[in-house]
Amino acid sequence: MFTCLNLNKPIVKMKNTFVYALAGVLSLVCLAVEAQTMKIGHTRIDYILSLTPENKVITDLLTNQQKQTQTEINRLQQELQDKYALYQKGVAQMTDIIRKDRETELQGLQSRIQEFSRTSDEAIQNKYKQLIWPTVAKIQQAIDTVAKQNGYTHILSTGNTGAILYAPEETNITELVLKYLDITPGQNVGQPAKAPSPSTPAKRVAPKPAKKK
């Protein structure tokens, strides 16, 4: 039986090859156009934040609160150490009931100090974020405006939290942002803004239950 060959198949295959090739060329053209229209800048938002008057006011306020917290922690630690010293001095003459009562008291005071230190630090950190957020939002708005005015399509962060290892200085928009915010930096570079450091944790001095003789 004679079978007629399908002469259209090679033509279809050639058409598909041409379409794929054309698509590849168009993709390269699009990438080239996108690269030409993309303008990338960079800035340090932590540095800008450190120069704002709001940051200094907020940091000073919370630092004072933290000092008060640390004073209270120191008082409680001294109370714990004094009670522990009395416990050590008289533990040999204590009955089991008194000894257990003193140990429970010391362990409770120890836990109280640790919990107070933890919650105080969390409260200060959260308060800092709450107070500083409007300033951060204002800086972000300034960055957006400066970027649009100067034709930037992307702005990268090169501060402590950024992952950019190199960025040319001519694309640094920090000075433009500071000018927009009407901030004049001093001769020295400002320190990165951050919340107050955590309080000194309580030292563990509460005793373990003494072994029965």
Side-chain angles (χ1 to χ4, degrees):
M1 183 177 180
F2 178 76
T3 303
C4 182
L5 296 176
N6 188 351
L7 299 178
N8 291 326
K9 285 186 176 181
I11 297 176
V12 173
K13 186 175 181 180
M14 290 179 63
K15 286 183 178 179
N16 290 339
T17 302
F18 175 74
V19 170
Y20 294 149
L22 180 60
V25 171
L26 291 176
S27 297
L28 292 175
V29 171
C30 290
L31 289 174
V33 172
E34 184 179 356
Q36 291 176 356
T37 58
M38 184 181 297
K39 185 178 180 182
I40 301 175
H42 63 93
T43 188
R44 282 189 57 189
I45 193 170
D46 58 335
Y47 169 64
I48 297 172
L49 181 60
S50 71
L51 297 178
T52 61
E54 296 91 340
N55 179 69
K56 185 179 187 309
V57 171
I58 293 170
T59 301
D60 290 346
L61 172 65
L62 296 183
T63 298
N64 289 334
Q65 292 184 8
Q66 188 183 44
K67 288 180 179 179
Q68 295 178 25
T69 298
Q70 189 61 54
T71 298
E72 178 63 12
I73 290 175
N74 292 341
R75 186 191 69 79
L76 292 172
Q77 286 180 332
Q78 187 61 52
E79 179 183 348
L80 177 62
Q81 291 171 2
D82 292 343
K83 289 184 176 182
Y84 182 59
L86 290 174
Y87 166 84
Q88 286 184 312
K89 184 177 180 180
V91 65
Q93 290 77 36
M94 293 179 186
T95 63
D96 288 346
I97 295 178
I98 295 176
R99 176 180 55 78
K100 290 180 180 179
D101 181 70
R102 297 291 174 82
E103 289 172 355
T104 299
E105 179 185 10
L106 290 171
Q107 291 167 355
L109 183 54
Q110 174 75 44
S111 298
R112 176 187 167 192
I113 296 173
Q114 291 175 337
E115 181 65 14
F116 178 75
S117 177
R118 183 186 66 80
T119 56
S120 297
D121 288 340
E122 287 182 357
I124 290 176
Q125 295 286 333
N126 291 335
K127 189 66 175 179
Y128 177 81
K129 293 177 182 178
Q130 177 187 351
L131 294 176
I132 206 66
W133 175 247
T135 304
V136 173
K138 182 175 70 173
I139 294 174
Q140 182 61 58
Q141 188 272 332
I143 292 173
D144 294 346
T145 301
V146 169
K148 291 176 182 178
Q149 290 176 346
N150 292 272
Y152 287 97
T153 58
H154 298 75
I155 300 297
L156 306 179
S157 173
T158 54
N160 293 336
T161 58
I164 307 302
L165 301 180
Y166 171 77
E169 186 58 30
E170 57 267 24
T171 60
N172 187 350
I173 68 167
T174 300
E175 293 300 325
L176 295 176
V177 175
L178 290 173
K179 184 178 180 180
Y180 180 87
L181 293 170
D182 196 24
I183 296 176
T184 303
Q187 296 297 323
N188 299 322
V189 177
Q191 295 297 321
K194 59 182 180 179
S197 302
S199 304
T200 303
K203 297 179 181 179
R204 185 173 182 82
V205 298
K208 296 180 180 179
K211 295 181 179 180
K212 294 183 179 180
K213 297 182 179 180

